[in-house]
Amino acid sequence: MTTIAENIEQLRGRLQRFERQYERSAGSVKLLAVSKRHPVESIIAANEAGIEDFGENYLQEALDKIQHLSSRRLIWHFIGPIQSNKTKAIAKNFQWVHSIDRLKVAQRLSDQREPSAAKLNVCVQIKLSQEPSKTGIELGEAEALCDSVEALPNLKLRGLMAIPAALLDLESQRRSFQTLAQEYSRLKPRYAQFDTLSMGMSNDFEAAIAEGSTLIRIGTTLFGTRS
Ligand SMILES: *Cc1c(COP(=O)(O)O)cnc(C)c1O
């Protein structure tokens, strides 16, 4: 059995190797540990190994963990589909939301974010072709949604996110990430705080790094298979 600390060390090594191989600057790709369906002990182990950013998909599970771990300085990212009746708790408990796919949800998150708190960092989720998940806005509608989100007072529009279809070979993976990366580059000059291209998971993060990802969301490779 390898430990979570060993997994993290190995993953950091691969991440650095891919940064060099694809001529990305050192440290330009951030690691988000996706801890959904893993116990708080695993989060503690990862935090002890230097990880501070954790991603969760299921609200109630996440709230339990956030409360349990409140003495640690962790940064919580909501990365799952959002029902509009869940926005209040998300606005209160998370620092990041990667899965904004409609204005109604963004509007509610902004309205429900404490104005005295730091702005909620958000990414707009794009649905790439053949994506299995139902969340994400069509590529052609991304700009209009980003413009609206940028105008909301308690949100900070940080970038784009996507979950492409699971493709086995590196070249096909690169092609689908390239679509998102091109849209990201096109939109970047429009928004003051746009600096995050959230793409890449356990099975495709090499392709994501090759295509310019600035944040990879890694679950299985860090924590093992989910229960
Ligand atoms: C579960 C999940 C991940 C992590 O997936 P792994 O393949 O386990 O690395 C990343 N992003 C999102 C949005 C997820 O739901």
mmCIF file of all heavy atoms in Angstrom, residues 76 87 90-92 94-97 100 109-110 113 117-122 154-158:
data_model
loop_
_atom_site.group_PDB
_atom_site.id
_atom_site.type_symbol
_atom_site.label_atom_id
_atom_site.label_comp_id
_atom_site.label_asym_id
_atom_site.label_seq_id
_atom_site.Cartn_x
_atom_site.Cartn_y
_atom_site.Cartn_z
ATOM 1 N N TRP A 76 -11.548 25.487 0.053
ATOM 2 C CA TRP A 76 -12.547 24.542 -0.455
ATOM 3 C C TRP A 76 -13.090 24.983 -1.802
ATOM 4 O O TRP A 76 -13.512 26.121 -1.967
ATOM 5 C CB TRP A 76 -13.682 24.396 0.556
ATOM 6 C CG TRP A 76 -13.213 23.757 1.825
ATOM 7 C CD1 TRP A 76 -12.856 24.375 2.988
ATOM 8 C CD2 TRP A 76 -13.014 22.350 2.053
ATOM 9 N NE1 TRP A 76 -12.465 23.444 3.924
ATOM 10 C CE2 TRP A 76 -12.546 22.194 3.386
ATOM 11 C CE3 TRP A 76 -13.192 21.193 1.268
ATOM 12 C CZ2 TRP A 76 -12.251 20.949 3.944
ATOM 13 C CZ3 TRP A 76 -12.902 19.953 1.824
ATOM 14 C CH2 TRP A 76 -12.439 19.839 3.150
ATOM 15 N N THR A 87 -27.343 26.965 -3.310
ATOM 16 C CA THR A 87 -26.362 28.039 -3.488
ATOM 17 C C THR A 87 -26.004 28.751 -2.180
ATOM 18 O O THR A 87 -24.873 29.197 -2.017
ATOM 19 C CB THR A 87 -26.873 29.098 -4.483
ATOM 20 O OG1 THR A 87 -28.179 29.507 -4.080
ATOM 21 C CG2 THR A 87 -26.917 28.541 -5.900
ATOM 22 N N ILE A 90 -23.323 26.947 -0.355
ATOM 23 C CA ILE A 90 -22.081 26.997 -1.128
ATOM 24 C C ILE A 90 -21.445 28.382 -0.989
ATOM 25 O O ILE A 90 -20.246 28.516 -0.738
ATOM 26 C CB ILE A 90 -22.348 26.639 -2.614
ATOM 27 C CG1 ILE A 90 -22.754 25.158 -2.729
ATOM 28 C CG2 ILE A 90 -21.104 26.902 -3.469
ATOM 29 C CD1 ILE A 90 -23.225 24.739 -4.115
ATOM 30 N N ALA A 91 -22.266 29.420 -1.104
ATOM 31 C CA ALA A 91 -21.748 30.796 -0.994
ATOM 32 C C ALA A 91 -21.115 31.048 0.370
ATOM 33 O O ALA A 91 -20.180 31.822 0.513
ATOM 34 C CB ALA A 91 -22.874 31.803 -1.237
ATOM 35 N N LYS A 92 -21.633 30.367 1.379
ATOM 36 C CA LYS A 92 -21.162 30.611 2.737
ATOM 37 C C LYS A 92 -19.882 29.831 3.058
ATOM 38 O O LYS A 92 -19.051 30.292 3.831
ATOM 39 C CB LYS A 92 -22.272 30.191 3.722
ATOM 40 C CG LYS A 92 -22.005 30.507 5.159
ATOM 41 C CD LYS A 92 -23.292 30.363 5.979
ATOM 42 C CE LYS A 92 -23.101 30.922 7.371
ATOM 43 N NZ LYS A 92 -22.651 29.990 8.357
ATOM 44 N N PHE A 94 -17.625 27.914 0.797
ATOM 45 C CA PHE A 94 -16.545 27.634 -0.158
ATOM 46 C C PHE A 94 -15.817 28.919 -0.543
ATOM 47 O O PHE A 94 -16.376 30.017 -0.438
ATOM 48 C CB PHE A 94 -17.121 26.964 -1.414
ATOM 49 C CG PHE A 94 -17.527 25.525 -1.174
ATOM 50 C CD1 PHE A 94 -18.730 25.222 -0.559
ATOM 51 C CD2 PHE A 94 -16.682 24.483 -1.542
ATOM 52 C CE1 PHE A 94 -19.097 23.897 -0.308
ATOM 53 C CE2 PHE A 94 -17.040 23.167 -1.304
ATOM 54 C CZ PHE A 94 -18.245 22.868 -0.685
ATOM 55 N N GLN A 95 -14.576 28.750 -1.016
ATOM 56 C CA GLN A 95 -13.829 29.902 -1.533
ATOM 57 C C GLN A 95 -13.859 29.938 -3.066
ATOM 58 O O GLN A 95 -13.603 30.972 -3.668
ATOM 59 C CB GLN A 95 -12.359 29.846 -1.066
ATOM 60 C CG GLN A 95 -12.158 30.198 0.407
ATOM 61 C CD GLN A 95 -12.429 29.027 1.325
ATOM 62 O OE1 GLN A 95 -12.016 27.911 1.060
ATOM 63 N NE2 GLN A 95 -13.166 29.275 2.386
ATOM 64 N N TRP A 96 -14.120 28.764 -3.657
ATOM 65 C CA TRP A 96 -14.142 28.632 -5.107
ATOM 66 C C TRP A 96 -15.354 27.815 -5.558
ATOM 67 O O TRP A 96 -15.747 26.866 -4.871
ATOM 68 C CB TRP A 96 -12.905 27.857 -5.609
ATOM 69 C CG TRP A 96 -11.638 28.642 -5.712
ATOM 70 C CD1 TRP A 96 -10.799 29.002 -4.681
ATOM 71 C CD2 TRP A 96 -11.028 29.131 -6.922
ATOM 72 N NE1 TRP A 96 -9.723 29.691 -5.188
ATOM 73 C CE2 TRP A 96 -9.832 29.784 -6.552
ATOM 74 C CE3 TRP A 96 -11.382 29.069 -8.280
ATOM 75 C CZ2 TRP A 96 -8.981 30.373 -7.491
ATOM 76 C CZ3 TRP A 96 -10.531 29.664 -9.204
ATOM 77 C CH2 TRP A 96 -9.346 30.311 -8.811
ATOM 78 N N VAL A 97 -15.883 28.144 -6.737
ATOM 79 C CA VAL A 97 -16.877 27.312 -7.407
ATOM 80 C C VAL A 97 -16.437 27.176 -8.870
ATOM 81 O O VAL A 97 -16.244 28.192 -9.554
ATOM 82 C CB VAL A 97 -18.290 27.940 -7.341
ATOM 83 C CG1 VAL A 97 -19.279 27.111 -8.147
ATOM 84 C CG2 VAL A 97 -18.770 28.059 -5.891
ATOM 85 N N ILE A 100 -20.019 26.868 -12.554
ATOM 86 C CA ILE A 100 -21.070 27.835 -12.901
ATOM 87 C C ILE A 100 -21.508 27.549 -14.339
ATOM 88 O O ILE A 100 -20.696 27.646 -15.267
ATOM 89 C CB ILE A 100 -20.518 29.278 -12.841
ATOM 90 C CG1 ILE A 100 -20.003 29.622 -11.449
ATOM 91 C CG2 ILE A 100 -21.569 30.272 -13.358
ATOM 92 C CD1 ILE A 100 -21.066 29.923 -10.445
ATOM 93 N N LEU A 109 -25.502 32.991 -6.028
ATOM 94 C CA LEU A 109 -24.250 32.904 -5.258
ATOM 95 C C LEU A 109 -23.762 34.305 -4.884
ATOM 96 O O LEU A 109 -23.308 34.530 -3.763
ATOM 97 C CB LEU A 109 -23.170 32.173 -6.062
ATOM 98 C CG LEU A 109 -23.352 30.657 -6.222
ATOM 99 C CD1 LEU A 109 -22.363 30.116 -7.255
ATOM 100 C CD2 LEU A 109 -23.181 29.925 -4.887
ATOM 101 N N SER A 110 -23.868 35.230 -5.813
ATOM 102 C CA SER A 110 -23.431 36.605 -5.522
ATOM 103 C C SER A 110 -24.330 37.242 -4.465
ATOM 104 O O SER A 110 -23.851 37.841 -3.502
ATOM 105 C CB SER A 110 -23.418 37.435 -6.802
ATOM 106 O OG SER A 110 -22.975 38.744 -6.536
ATOM 107 N N ARG A 113 -23.558 35.638 -1.025
ATOM 108 C CA ARG A 113 -22.217 35.750 -0.459
ATOM 109 C C ARG A 113 -22.200 36.935 0.485
ATOM 110 O O ARG A 113 -22.642 38.029 0.115
ATOM 111 C CB ARG A 113 -21.197 35.958 -1.588
ATOM 112 C CG ARG A 113 -19.746 36.036 -1.132
ATOM 113 C CD ARG A 113 -19.206 34.676 -0.779
ATOM 114 N NE ARG A 113 -17.763 34.694 -0.603
ATOM 115 C CZ ARG A 113 -17.073 33.631 -0.188
ATOM 116 N NH1 ARG A 113 -17.681 32.477 0.071
ATOM 117 N NH2 ARG A 113 -15.773 33.693 -0.044
ATOM 118 N N ALA A 117 -17.214 39.138 3.313
ATOM 119 C CA ALA A 117 -16.259 38.061 3.028
ATOM 120 C C ALA A 117 -15.509 38.388 1.742
ATOM 121 O O ALA A 117 -15.935 39.237 0.963
ATOM 122 C CB ALA A 117 -17.015 36.735 2.869
ATOM 123 N N ALA A 118 -14.390 37.690 1.507
ATOM 124 C CA ALA A 118 -13.701 37.835 0.224
ATOM 125 C C ALA A 118 -14.663 37.393 -0.868
ATOM 126 O O ALA A 118 -15.532 36.549 -0.647
ATOM 127 C CB ALA A 118 -12.449 36.962 0.213
ATOM 128 N N LYS A 119 -14.508 37.963 -2.054
ATOM 129 C CA LYS A 119 -15.379 37.554 -3.156
ATOM 130 C C LYS A 119 -15.215 36.060 -3.424
ATOM 131 O O LYS A 119 -14.137 35.499 -3.223
ATOM 132 C CB LYS A 119 -15.031 38.347 -4.417
ATOM 133 C CG LYS A 119 -15.427 39.809 -4.312
ATOM 134 C CD LYS A 119 -15.174 40.533 -5.609
ATOM 135 C CE LYS A 119 -15.501 42.016 -5.403
ATOM 136 N NZ LYS A 119 -15.558 42.740 -6.685
ATOM 137 N N LEU A 120 -16.299 35.443 -3.891
ATOM 138 C CA LEU A 120 -16.260 34.014 -4.230
ATOM 139 C C LEU A 120 -15.613 33.871 -5.621
ATOM 140 O O LEU A 120 -16.069 34.480 -6.587
ATOM 141 C CB LEU A 120 -17.695 33.490 -4.239
ATOM 142 C CG LEU A 120 -17.927 32.015 -4.510
ATOM 143 C CD1 LEU A 120 -17.263 31.133 -3.443
ATOM 144 C CD2 LEU A 120 -19.438 31.712 -4.552
ATOM 145 N N ASN A 121 -14.542 33.084 -5.679
ATOM 146 C CA ASN A 121 -13.856 32.849 -6.959
ATOM 147 C C ASN A 121 -14.656 31.860 -7.787
ATOM 148 O O ASN A 121 -15.023 30.798 -7.274
ATOM 149 C CB ASN A 121 -12.465 32.262 -6.696
ATOM 150 C CG ASN A 121 -11.607 33.184 -5.883
ATOM 151 O OD1 ASN A 121 -11.189 34.225 -6.364
ATOM 152 N ND2 ASN A 121 -11.359 32.816 -4.623
ATOM 153 N N VAL A 122 -14.918 32.170 -9.043
ATOM 154 C CA VAL A 122 -15.724 31.246 -9.844
ATOM 155 C C VAL A 122 -15.121 31.017 -11.229
ATOM 156 O O VAL A 122 -14.459 31.877 -11.801
ATOM 157 C CB VAL A 122 -17.183 31.735 -10.020
ATOM 158 C CG1 VAL A 122 -17.866 31.884 -8.662
ATOM 159 C CG2 VAL A 122 -17.280 33.024 -10.818
ATOM 160 N N ASN A 154 -20.321 40.207 -5.884
ATOM 161 C CA ASN A 154 -19.632 39.405 -4.873
ATOM 162 C C ASN A 154 -18.935 38.161 -5.436
ATOM 163 O O ASN A 154 -18.535 37.279 -4.690
ATOM 164 C CB ASN A 154 -20.604 39.022 -3.754
ATOM 165 C CG ASN A 154 -21.137 40.271 -3.063
ATOM 166 O OD1 ASN A 154 -20.392 41.233 -2.830
ATOM 167 N ND2 ASN A 154 -22.431 40.284 -2.783
ATOM 168 N N LEU A 155 -18.821 38.126 -6.757
ATOM 169 C CA LEU A 155 -18.085 37.037 -7.407
ATOM 170 C C LEU A 155 -16.859 37.596 -8.095
ATOM 171 O O LEU A 155 -16.840 38.745 -8.525
ATOM 172 C CB LEU A 155 -18.952 36.326 -8.456
ATOM 173 C CG LEU A 155 -20.291 35.740 -8.029
ATOM 174 C CD1 LEU A 155 -20.892 34.938 -9.179
ATOM 175 C CD2 LEU A 155 -20.163 34.872 -6.786
ATOM 176 N N LYS A 156 -15.832 36.742 -8.196
ATOM 177 C CA LYS A 156 -14.631 37.102 -8.955
ATOM 178 C C LYS A 156 -14.485 36.066 -10.064
ATOM 179 O O LYS A 156 -14.257 34.883 -9.779
ATOM 180 C CB LYS A 156 -13.429 37.053 -7.997
ATOM 181 C CG LYS A 156 -12.176 37.690 -8.538
ATOM 182 C CD LYS A 156 -11.003 37.432 -7.597
ATOM 183 C CE LYS A 156 -10.819 38.557 -6.587
ATOM 184 N NZ LYS A 156 -9.492 38.433 -5.891
ATOM 185 N N LEU A 157 -14.663 36.497 -11.290
ATOM 186 C CA LEU A 157 -14.591 35.563 -12.423
ATOM 187 C C LEU A 157 -13.132 35.199 -12.692
ATOM 188 O O LEU A 157 -12.351 36.029 -13.154
ATOM 189 C CB LEU A 157 -15.225 36.194 -13.669
ATOM 190 C CG LEU A 157 -15.167 35.336 -14.941
ATOM 191 C CD1 LEU A 157 -15.940 34.036 -14.781
ATOM 192 C CD2 LEU A 157 -15.669 36.127 -16.149
ATOM 193 N N ARG A 158 -12.758 33.950 -12.426
ATOM 194 C CA ARG A 158 -11.358 33.543 -12.524
ATOM 195 C C ARG A 158 -11.022 32.773 -13.798
ATOM 196 O O ARG A 158 -9.862 32.689 -14.173
ATOM 197 C CB ARG A 158 -10.981 32.695 -11.291
ATOM 198 C CG ARG A 158 -11.094 33.453 -9.975
ATOM 199 C CD ARG A 158 -10.098 34.610 -9.882
ATOM 200 N NE ARG A 158 -8.741 34.137 -9.858
ATOM 201 C CZ ARG A 158 -8.049 33.821 -8.749
ATOM 202 N NH1 ARG A 158 -8.618 33.961 -7.555
ATOM 203 N NH2 ARG A 158 -6.799 33.415 -8.824
#
